[in-house]
Structures are given as C-alpha cells and as structure tokens.
C-alpha cells in the first residue's frame, strides 16, 4: 500500500504525539511511585529505562520529520536526472549498451527487452537481457562502462560461459526505468 507524503506526515505526527503522551504518563507514574511508601527501587529503574527509550524514540521521530523535505527533494532530483522519459528512453539505452560493447571491443550476440508499468509510480520498468562475446579484459571493461554510464541500470544477474570460438560469452540481465 502506497501512502502519500501528507498521509505519511500525519501518521508520523500521530506517532510522535502518542509517544509524547506515553512519556508524560510514565513521568507521572514514576513520580507517584517515587513518592509512594514502599516503592521498589528496581521498578523505578525499570520505569526510568522505559522513559529513556521512549524519549529516544521521540527524538528519532522528530529527526525523521525534519528530514522528510530533504528526502522528497532528493527523490525528485533522482527522478528527473537519472530516469529518462519513456519516449526517448529505449533508443538511448540500446545505443548506450551498443556503444559500451563496441568501445570495449565486444560483439553483441543478442538483446531482448521486456517492459512492465510500475503501478502508482509513473514509471515503466524495462528488463534488458543482453549477450556479448569477447576476451575477459573486454568484458570487465564493459561492466565498468555500465557502472559509469549516465543511464540508470540495475544489474540483476550475470553469467559467464565459454563460447565455441574460444572467447567468453557474458549474459547480463539488467533493469532500467523510464518516466511516463
């Protein structure tokens, strides 16, 4: 279930208020126990420890509340900067993979793509299966090129086989995302 930013803020605020109320109840209870005759010191220590834990939870919740605008800004920057628009994404990604293979001195034997929309995210996920052949140093150079690429790739799997021509075959399963 996806929670909007406003709902998430309201939930966090409610949790903070609940923790503060519990903290207040524990303070009153601690005061009553410390002034009551026959107060058990171990109970007082236990209650103080619980109060300290709750106070730490309140501080963490407040820190989360303060950081929410920054997280939102960073995610918006990532969305705009690193994810290409869907109408120009395919050509950009496929030409990037081709250029990386050629630059590394590799031969691309097959490339397949599958796409699926990601619900409620305004993005399209594209899975790319690519097989390339070449010498080991060229394969390493290709993978390094993927890491430095301006396109956003997630490497899901990587298998290495020897081919009939005495070279190595690298099969990669990548994912990338496009803005809708």
């Amino acid at each position: 279930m996806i929670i909007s930013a406003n709902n998430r803020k309201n939930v966090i605020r409610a949790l903070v208020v609940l923790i503060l109320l519990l903290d207040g109840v524990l303070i009153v209870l601690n005061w009553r126990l410390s002034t009551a005759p026959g107060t058990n010191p171990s109970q007082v220590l236990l209650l103080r420890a619980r109060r300290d834990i709750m106070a730490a939870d309140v501080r963490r919740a407040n820190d989360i509340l303060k950081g929410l605008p920054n997280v939102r800004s960073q995610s918006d920057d990532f969305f705009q900067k690193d994810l290409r628009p869907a109408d120009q994404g395919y050509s950009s990604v496929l030409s990037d993979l081709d250029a990386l293979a050629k630059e590394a001195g590799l031969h691309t034997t097959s490339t397949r793509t599958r796409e699926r929309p990601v619900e409620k995210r305004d993005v399209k996920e594209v899975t790319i299966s690519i097989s390339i052949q070449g010498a080991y140093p060229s394969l390493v150079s290709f993978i390094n090129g993927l890491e430095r690429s301006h396109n956003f790739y997630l490497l899901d799997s990587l298998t290495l086989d020897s081919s009939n021509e005495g070279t190595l075959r690298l099969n990669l399963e990548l994912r990338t995302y496009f803005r809708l």
Side-chain angles (χ1 to χ4, degrees), residues 123-136:
V123 295
K124 182 185 340 179
E125 178 185 80
V126 177
T127 302
I128 304 165
S129 301
I130 184 169
S131 294
I132 51 178
Q133 280 184 234
Y136 180 77

Side-chain angles (χ1 to χ4, degrees), residues 159-174:
T159 58
L160 188 63
D161 295 325
S162 60
S163 69
N164 296 338
E165 296 91 35
T167 60
L168 296 173
R169 180 189 329 249
L170 181 65
N171 299 311
L172 296 169
E173 186 91 11
L174 302 167

Side-chain angles (χ1 to χ4, degrees), residues 99-108 133-135 138-139 141-142:
L100 289 172
K102 286 179 184 171
E103 186 178 303
L106 299 171
H107 173 66
T108 303
Q133 280 184 234
S138 297
L139 296 174
S141 176
F142 177 79

Side-chain angles (χ1 to χ4, degrees), residues 22-41:
L22 287 173
D23 194 30
V25 167
L26 285 176
I27 289 171
V28 169
L29 186 60
N30 186 28
W31 176 74
R32 283 188 178 179
L33 285 175
S34 65
T35 59
T39 302
N40 186 347

Side-chain angles (χ1 to χ4, degrees), residues 8-9 11-13 15-16 19 56-72:
R8 189 178 303 153
K9 286 179 185 178
V11 167
I12 291 173
R13 286 181 182 135
L15 286 173
V16 169
I19 290 171
D57 286 344
V58 169
R59 281 192 300 275
R60 280 192 296 271
N62 284 330
D63 290 344
I64 290 170
L65 276 174
K66 289 176 189 171
L68 281 178
N70 189 29
V71 169
R72 177 81 166 172

